[in-house]
Amino acid sequence: MSELPAVPVESPTENRLLGGRVTLRQPSRGYRAGLDAALLAAACDSAPGARVIEAGCGAGAVLMVGATRRPGVHFTGVERDAEALALAKENAALNGLAERVTALSGNIDAGFAALGLAPFDAALANPPFFDDPAALRAPAIEKRGAWMAEAGLEAWTTFLLKAVREGGTITLIHRADRLADILSGLGKGAGSFQVRPIHPFADAAAKRVLVRAIKTGKAPLRLLPALVLHPRDGATKHTPEAEAVLRGETDLPWN
């Protein structure tokens, strides 16, 4: 896999997440954490003592929010971009989470075995949304590493399957139109799928899906109630349900 192109280094910005409980320093340019990271963290339901890995952790938004939501859970992030990895480590210290949050250098395309780690209880991921450069106008250089899965989505589903123990959970958020590919990839070693559609508006098609699978699970697929992000009338930025999730007042449960 080719190295990522060099981009100008600028001072990171500082943002507040989870109703102000989390401080996140992230690049001022390029990929920046948003709603997807917040929803993925809210979908993590691991119990105290569990070990959770995030594939492609970036600056650590999911790690910080997840660890704040889930006291006693240990989180490990894997990231190939050196600048993002440094910020993830900085954010762990900044939020007082360094004892429970670890960020490691690693390439998802190299596979889980390359990390030399024992399988985890749960895995999280927000894989790059595209794997065909010809399918869209190329993203800006500083975003390419986060947007393009150069080895394809299958490299991510393979990594996630290897990253968890039998009975462990895999949770990811992705484009709704890639749901069939997600189910096919994870279905090679996991089952008991649960899918939660994420709609921008109540009258609009889902743009995202949250998918949960259990390694070696055999239960039938369940389609869960959808989450609607924005009211059509524009009276508020988010629906009350979405706002409660973003502020950490409620989770996105799987039962």
Side-chain angles (χ1 to χ4, degrees), residues 1-250:
M1 184 176 183
S2 59
E3 293 184 359
L4 296 179
V7 297
V9 177
E10 297 182 5
S11 299
T13 62
E14 192 167 288
N15 304 102
R16 305 289 287 180
L17 309 177
L18 204 64
R21 286 186 283 162
V22 170
T23 299
L24 184 74
R25 292 173 62 80
Q26 58 181 334
S28 55
R29 297 179 55 176
Y31 179 79
R32 292 169 58 80
L35 276 172
D36 292 341
L39 298 178
L40 181 60
C44 177
D45 58 357
S46 296
R51 297 169 57 250
V52 178
I53 186 171
E54 184 193 3
C57 67
V62 174
L63 299 176
M64 304 312 139
V65 174
T68 301
R69 281 178 167 273
R70 294 287 166 183
V73 176
H74 296 262
F75 288 82
T76 297
V78 178
E79 177 56 50
R80 68 171 180 165
D81 181 83
E83 182 184 359
L85 180 65
L87 284 172
K89 294 178 179 179
E90 181 179 343
N91 283 322
L94 184 63
N95 289 279
L97 296 169
E99 291 187 358
R100 290 195 295 115
V101 175
T102 303
L104 303 175
S105 177
N107 190 330
I108 303 307
D109 297 349
F112 177 72
L115 297 175
L117 301 174
F120 287 73
D121 300 302
L124 307 172
N126 179 11
F129 281 170
F130 304 100
D131 50 20
D132 179 7
L136 78 164
R137 184 168 52 192
I141 289 176
E142 59 267 24
K143 293 184 178 181
R144 183 178 178 86
W147 280 19
M148 301 297 295
E150 296 174 21
L153 181 59
E154 186 175 3
W156 287 73
T157 56
T158 298
F159 180 95
L160 295 169
L161 285 169
K162 297 294 185 180
V164 297
R165 59 171 174 77
E166 290 193 7
T169 62
I170 298 168
T171 306
L172 58 79
I173 188 167
H174 205 64
R175 289 163 38 198
D177 62 353
R178 297 300 302 273
L179 178 57
D181 297 320
I182 294 167
L183 297 179
S184 175
L186 291 180
K188 294 175 182 178
S192 301
F193 287 102
Q194 297 183 78
V195 179
R196 187 183 300 279
I198 309 295
H199 297 253
F201 302 97
D203 58 353
K207 295 290 187 181
R208 301 281 187 270
V209 284
L210 273 164
V211 179
R212 161 67 60 90
I214 298 177
K215 187 169 181 177
T216 68
K218 302 297 182 183
L221 183 148
R222 296 177 64 224
L223 186 61
L224 301 179
L227 176 68
V228 178
L229 297 176
H230 310 288
R232 180 61 80 179
D233 60 14
T236 57
K237 183 175 181 179
H238 299 111
T239 62
E241 294 79 11
E243 184 66 24
V245 171
L246 296 177
R247 294 183 65 83
E249 296 165 0
T250 61

